[in-house]
Amino acid sequence: MFWPMFAVAMGFLGLAVLGVLAVRVFLEARRLGAQVADSARRINRAAEALERAAVSTARAVDTL
């Protein structure tokens, strides 16, 4: 009777470990998503600044 109860306890313990790991993966994926979104915003701002600089440079070249 000991071994079946031990197997059931180990099964529950395994499920608990998998649940904890799933929560950790979820939280890290959410954190990574936030970092990707922040990086995308920075890249968009840099692209806009580069475009403005290119336009002003093109205007300066046209006036020469």
Side-chain angles (χ1 to χ4, degrees), residues 40-52:
R41 280 191 296 273
R42 287 182 180 186
I43 289 170
N44 285 336
R45 275 188 276 151
E48 290 169 1
L50 181 61
E51 186 175 347
R52 284 191 304 271

Side-chain angles (χ1 to χ4, degrees), residues 23-46:
V23 168
R24 289 181 62 187
V25 167
F26 172 74
L27 293 175
E28 289 298 319
R30 210 169 78 175
R31 185 176 65 85
L32 178 61
Q35 286 180 349
V36 168
D38 184 48
S39 297
R41 280 191 296 273
R42 287 182 180 186
I43 289 170
N44 285 336
R45 275 188 276 151

